[in-house]
């Protein structure tokens, strides 16, 4: 069984911290590794405890959430940060600060735990992305932005990064994913990729050119 996700909670309201901690600790795949009462303490604990995810209030004394977010990411860029705010008009500000997600404080407990899982997955994807060639890295970024499924992204990467035909892609993905991938599934995934990425005309050449152009523009 994989190690549970380590979550640091930072909020100046004791009750909210305790409620969040109780919900997170009730999940089998995550655990609260520390609690901070302000932004300064959040920075210190993030460095000493090395959490996977920091769940942090945007408005805190001494050092606010955006300032703490920047400081934590400078020291630990591999940490995922989710900012919480009671002011919904500040959600875009929270995301601009470098957080992978931002939630309103009136969200449900399940919204929080699902956001923690998404944030951890985002960091894993970014780590993998750093080791990819530029066109492949662009494909991953576009895939996340356009909502490609795991199979759709895998098919798109084969279409762009190889000259394999549909049958061969199905065989390779069956081996790589350790699950049967049929030729029909590859065809359907290809169609969905073309639709989601707005590729016109819907040819492999156009898809490859679009991804290469996007990579060159990054």
């Amino acid at each position: 069984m994989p190690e549970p996700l380590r979550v640091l909670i930072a909020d100046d309201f004791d009750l909210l911290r305790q409620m969040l901690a109780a919900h997170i600790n009730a999940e089998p795949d995550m655990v609260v590794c520390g609690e901070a009462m302000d932004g300064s303490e959040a920075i210190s604990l993030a460095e000493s405890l090395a959490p996977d995810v920091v769940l942090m209030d945007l408005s805190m004394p001494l050092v606010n959430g955006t300032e703490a977010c920047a400081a934590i990411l400078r020291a630990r860029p591999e940490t995922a940060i989710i900012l919480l705010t009671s002011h919904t008009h500040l959600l875009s500000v929270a995301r601009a600060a470098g957080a992978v997600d931002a939630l309103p404080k009136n969200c449900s407990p399940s919204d929080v735990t699902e956001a923690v899982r998404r944030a951890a997955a985002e960091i894993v994807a970014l780590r993998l992305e750093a080791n990819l060639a530029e066109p492949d890295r662009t494909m991953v970024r576009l895939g996340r932005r356009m909502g490609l499924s795991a199979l759709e992204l895998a098919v798109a990467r084969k279409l762009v990064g190889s000259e394999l035909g549909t049958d061969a892609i199905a065989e390779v993905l069956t081996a790589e994913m350790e699950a049967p991938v049929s030729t029909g599934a590859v065809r359907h995934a290809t169609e969905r990729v073309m639709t989601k990425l707005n590729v016109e005309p819907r040819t492999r050449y156009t898809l490859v050119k679009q991804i290469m152009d996007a990579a060159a523009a990054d």
Side-chain angles (χ1 to χ4, degrees), residues 152-197:
E152 290 163 3
L153 179 57
V155 169
R157 289 173 64 182
K158 296 301 180 189
L159 290 170
V160 172
S162 76
E163 296 183 358
L164 297 175
T166 302
D167 291 342
I169 290 175
E171 290 181 13
V172 170
L173 291 182
T174 293
E176 290 182 357
M177 304 180 80
E178 298 182 347
V181 177
S182 68
T183 299
V186 172
R187 289 199 185 99
H188 287 307
T190 301
E191 282 298 311
R192 291 193 295 272
V193 167
M194 298 290 187
T195 298
K196 290 181 179 180
L197 297 187

Side-chain angles (χ1 to χ4, degrees), residues 32-87:
V32 174
C33 65
E35 298 181 29
M37 296 181 62
D38 56 56
S40 179
E41 188 177 14
I43 296 168
S44 177
L45 289 179
E47 292 183 10
S48 62
L49 298 176
D52 299 300
V53 179
V54 177
L55 192 60
M56 185 160 55
D57 185 16
L58 184 62
S59 301
M60 290 186 295
L62 300 182
V63 178
N64 67 37
T66 56
E67 293 168 335
C69 182
I72 291 170
L73 292 176
R74 280 196 299 270
R76 292 187 51 78
E78 68 274 25
T79 299
I81 299 176
I82 302 170
L83 289 174
L84 301 171
T85 179
S86 55
H87 306 288

Side-chain angles (χ1 to χ4, degrees), residues 93-156:
V93 174
R95 293 189 178 93
V100 299
D101 206 348
L103 298 174
K105 281 194 170 182
N106 62 355
C107 67
S108 69
S110 62
D111 289 335
V112 173
T113 52
E114 286 307 307
V116 169
R117 294 186 181 98
R118 287 197 307 271
E122 177 80 3
I123 291 301
V124 170
L126 289 173
R127 289 172 184 167
L128 292 174
E129 182 182 311
N131 296 319
L132 298 175
E134 188 56 47
D136 213 5
R137 187 156 59 241
T138 299
M139 184 77 257
V140 172
R141 284 197 292 267
L142 282 174
R144 284 203 307 272
R145 189 163 67 244
M146 305 305 293
L148 298 187
S149 69
L151 177 59
E152 290 163 3
L153 179 57
V155 169

Side-chain angles (χ1 to χ4, degrees), residues 1-4 28-29:
M1 179 179 293
E3 291 292 318
D29 59 339

